[in-house]
Amino acid sequence: LGMLVLIGLPHLVGSDVYAKLLSCRDESTARRSALLAAVSKIVFGFSVAAIALAARRALPPVSPGDALPSAVLGFAPPAAAALILVALVATMQTSADVVLLSACAVTVRDIAPAVIGRSPGVGAARALAPVYGGLGLLVALALGRDVLETLKLGYSIFAASLILPVLAALLAPRAVPRGAAIFAMVAGGALAATGRFFPAAAAGLDPVVVGTAVNLVVLVAGAVF
């Protein structure tokens, strides 16, 4: 359940997903691309799981995070293994750069006009890119350069804070007051982030599940009362 909430729900309102959809030439292309991407993710997801399970059985025991690289190095010829590992890094880079571009665009086009009354333009977005990239690097270093833990932290904050309020705004714009939506974002995201650093705060449960549950309770309370 935790992995489903952590990795599955962000596909509903992910900025990188919509950045790609909104760049399609027309509606039919966007619809067809989304369907093909969903099918391919299912296929590749099961393939990665099968390879990792095979590695756990055929190779010496390793940590879950090292299962896939160990399988690549253990099963593939050296030249192919190097190419596959480079491709895996490139896959993460494609997501990272789209998220970085989305963050800069949202800051310049949405947040800045609400704060200073105007958009600072493309130049400000370009200046923000290395700033946001540097902040991301600091977070990764603070988590011991553990890629999985860094991804879990980012996805936990995103999934437990933004997804449910954004879905509520899309499906029922007037159902939840703005104040309740903002409070739900802050409460859910803060609890999920705290649980990643201090697991005891999540009472033994997955932090993203606890944060999302709190988010849902606040949204429902705001809509009812």
Side-chain angles (χ1 to χ4, degrees):
L1 176 60
M3 293 301 294
L4 179 62
V5 174
L6 186 69
I7 304 299
L9 288 185
H11 285 78
L12 297 177
V13 298
S15 59
D16 55 336
V17 176
Y18 282 93
K20 294 172 182 176
L21 287 176
L22 294 176
S23 67
C24 293
R25 66 170 61 92
D26 52 43
E27 184 177 345
S28 62
T29 302
R31 184 183 297 109
R32 184 171 60 255
S33 300
L35 180 60
L36 292 175
V39 173
S40 66
K41 284 200 171 191
I42 293 174
V43 173
F44 281 108
F46 277 110
S47 300
V48 170
I51 294 171
L53 290 174
R56 290 290 295 269
R57 185 171 182 83
L59 301 176
V62 295
S63 65
D66 293 330
L68 183 60
S70 298
V72 173
L73 294 173
F75 298 150
L83 181 61
I84 293 171
L85 292 177
V86 170
L88 290 175
V89 174
T91 300
M92 288 195 296
Q93 288 179 325
T94 59
S95 295
D97 64 0
V98 172
V99 171
L100 186 60
L101 290 172
S102 299
C104 296
V106 168
T107 302
V108 172
R109 293 173 59 90
D110 300 313
I111 297 177
V115 175
I116 63 177
R118 61 180 182 84
S119 174
V122 177
R126 291 174 176 170
L128 284 173
V131 175
Y132 285 153
L135 291 175
L137 177 61
L138 292 177
V139 172
L141 293 175
L143 293 173
R145 294 181 293 180
D146 189 317
V147 175
L148 291 180
E149 289 303 316
T150 305
L151 288 173
K152 284 183 178 180
L153 175 62
Y155 272 108
S156 294
I157 297 174
F158 180 64
S161 61
L162 293 177
I163 292 177
L164 294 183
V166 171
L167 286 178
L170 292 173
L171 299 176
R174 299 181 181 180
V176 180
R178 179 180 298 181
I182 294 175
F183 182 71
M185 292 180 186
V186 174
L191 184 56
T194 302
R196 287 296 173 198
F197 288 103
F198 307 100
L205 301 174
D206 193 303
V208 71
V209 174
V210 177
T212 303
V214 170
N215 192 319
L216 179 61
V217 170
V218 175
L219 287 177
V220 172
V224 173
F225 301 105

